[in-house]
Amino acid sequence: MVSPLDFLLGLFSLDIGIDLGTANTLVCVRGKGIIINEPSYVAIRRKTRQVTHVGREAKLMAGKVGKDIQIIRPLRDGVIAEFEITEAMLTYFIKKVHEQSFIPIHRPRVVIGIPSGVTEVEKRAVYDAAIEAGAREAFLIEEPVAGAVGAGLPINETRGSMIVDIGGGTTEVAVFSLGGIVISRSIRVAGDEMDEDIVQYMRSKYSLLIGESTAESAKIDIGSAYSLVEEKTKVLRGRNLITGLPEAREVSSIEIREALAGSVGIIVDTIRDALDETPPELVADLMESGICLAGGGGQLKGLTERIAREVNIRTWLAEDAMTCVARGAGRILEDYDNLRQLLTGLERGSTHH
């Protein structure tokens, strides 16, 4: 039985699904879809730790500010590394949601996607950050569950389905059947690790020091996990470590693929290990339904072909792969009456306060 107070609060509050990612934070509002997709970056003053910029503006400042300003990525490997900064970032995004809404401001109900391998302490940190940022209620859901819901996988059916969610800090692999996770793997090798691979490759091969943003753009523009029909080149700019002078170097997609080989190999091996432990009947289902790739890292060129070749199962990229987790959290909110049941049934290891 819903009390009159709860009913009124429901009328004048927003339901928000959040993909609190290492690289990007996405916010989905019930009935409106994704309304925020910004980098998980925060700029603060070093002396006072006062927040000056959040999101896209903060990322643009990275590597270009003086000593009095520090650019922080408050989440590392999918978990909170800087609690107060994460709280400030969440507060900023929740306030921004309200600014874009005509509904009177009230504390929202929030569902947040978290990596499946996090500890109870890390779960508590995410929950506390959401409450301190102004949430009325906060629910935690494992990212592969939210991603599967967002991708439209039939996770409640008897036939098996599989998702590989490659974010900025973690790669989540999960096999579903009858509304539960049968097999799951969470590794801290994903988009950030790929960027670092490119930085190290340029350093060791060309003695060229490039920034994270430059490495990320190389990954997006010419990076691949499988041979391209037409190989590409890109000019990367940085500082020569021997002369100390600025230098530009043209690199090929073949070289970037070589740089990414280690991280891509680990992700493929993780998928293979998960399949090794999957019951034969579910493997038979997966050979029909295929493997769904989600997350920003899942968009790496040739990755679907590489995985399909390695594990002999058709692999496909989810529609709007980067937003799957946020959209999945939003869809769960649409059926609030069954929210607790969904979270308990799909995420047995979750924490709900």
Side-chain angles (χ1 to χ4, degrees):
M1 186 73 179
V2 179
S3 71
L5 177 59
D6 285 340
F7 176 75
L8 287 172
L9 290 179
L11 285 177
F12 297 103
S13 67
L14 292 171
D15 288 343
I16 302 174
I18 300 177
D19 176 6
L20 190 61
T22 303
N24 294 279
T25 296
L26 291 86
V27 181
C28 178
V29 174
R30 185 171 67 169
K32 295 186 177 182
I34 304 291
I35 67 169
I36 291 175
N37 180 356
E38 294 203 33
S40 301
Y41 282 70
V42 180
I44 66 168
R45 298 192 186 280
R46 287 185 186 274
K47 290 183 179 179
T48 62
R49 292 187 69 82
Q50 176 192 358
V51 174
T52 61
H53 298 83
V54 177
R56 194 168 290 107
E57 291 180 350
K59 184 176 182 180
L60 289 172
M61 295 166 66
K64 302 177 182 179
V65 293
K67 293 182 179 179
D68 59 325
I69 298 291
Q70 182 181 6
I71 308 300
I72 294 177
R73 297 180 65 184
L75 293 112
R76 284 287 175 181
D77 299 327
V79 297
I80 292 178
E82 296 269 0
F83 179 82
E84 290 181 1
I85 306 300
T86 301
E87 180 190 322
M89 185 175 73
L90 277 173
T91 302
Y92 170 84
F93 288 135
I94 290 174
K95 183 180 178 182
K96 193 170 182 179
V97 168
H98 282 300
E99 287 174 353
Q100 297 179 25
S101 172
F102 295 107
I103 300 174
I105 291 178
H106 189 72
R107 291 161 65 89
R109 183 186 298 125
V110 176
V111 170
I112 302 178
I114 57 171
S116 58
V118 301
T119 64
E120 291 299 321
V121 172
E122 290 166 338
K123 288 180 182 180
R124 184 75 204 190
V126 174
Y127 172 83
D128 288 345
I131 296 298
E132 292 298 322
R136 182 171 93 253
E137 291 181 279
F139 302 87
L140 308 182
I141 184 169
E142 291 182 353
E143 285 175 357
V145 175
V149 172
L153 297 185
I155 60 176
N156 286 315
E157 296 182 9
T158 53
R159 63 189 174 108
S161 54
M162 183 174 189
I163 192 166
V164 179
D165 179 16
I166 307 172
T170 61
T171 294
E172 309 284 331
V173 179
V175 177
F176 300 93
S177 179
L178 288 170
I181 296 178
V182 180
I183 299 292
S184 70
R185 291 283 184 278
S186 179
I187 57 169
R188 297 187 176 186
V189 175
D192 286 350
E193 194 79 12
M194 294 181 193
D195 297 343
E196 183 60 29
D197 287 343
I198 295 172
V199 171
Q200 293 303 323
Y201 182 87
M202 296 302 294
R203 177 195 285 265
S204 61
K205 185 168 183 177
Y206 296 113
S207 296
L208 185 68
L209 180 63
I210 62 172
E212 285 183 7
S213 296
T214 301
E216 183 184 24
S217 69
K219 175 186 69 179
I220 292 170
D221 294 343
I222 65 171
S224 65
Y226 199 71
S227 299
L228 301 175
V229 174
E230 184 179 342
E231 300 292 351
K232 304 177 181 180
T233 62
K234 182 179 176 67
V235 175
L236 303 186
R237 295 177 174 84
R239 185 176 76 246
N240 187 296
L241 290 168
I242 297 172
T243 66
L245 298 175
E247 183 178 304
R249 175 75 65 166
E250 185 177 43
V251 296
S252 69
S253 51
I254 297 171
E255 290 176 292
I256 299 301
R257 185 161 60 249
E258 182 184 335
L260 297 174
S263 291
V264 171
I266 291 171
I267 291 170
V268 171
D269 287 344
T270 301
I271 296 169
R272 188 185 287 112
D273 290 344
L275 287 169
D276 281 346
E277 294 190 23
T278 301
E281 291 297 329
L282 291 181
V283 172
D285 291 340
L286 297 178
M287 292 184 74
E288 288 188 19
S289 61
I291 298 171
C292 174
L293 285 190
Q299 299 175 111
L300 181 69
K301 296 178 185 68
L303 187 56
T304 54
E305 293 89 341
R306 171 71 183 276
I307 294 171
R309 189 194 71 176
E310 295 276 356
V311 303
N312 201 31
I313 293 178
R314 179 179 66 89
T315 305
W316 51 282
L317 183 65
E319 183 181 351
D320 201 4
M322 190 171 176
T323 68
C324 281
V325 172
R327 286 188 290 115
R331 285 182 187 173
I332 289 169
L333 276 167
E334 289 174 5
D335 190 4
Y336 179 63
D337 290 340
N338 295 321
L339 178 59
R340 286 186 175 83
Q341 178 185 340
L342 275 166
L343 292 175
T344 304
L346 294 177
E347 187 206 359
R348 291 183 173 82
S350 70
T351 303
H352 166 238
H353 302 268

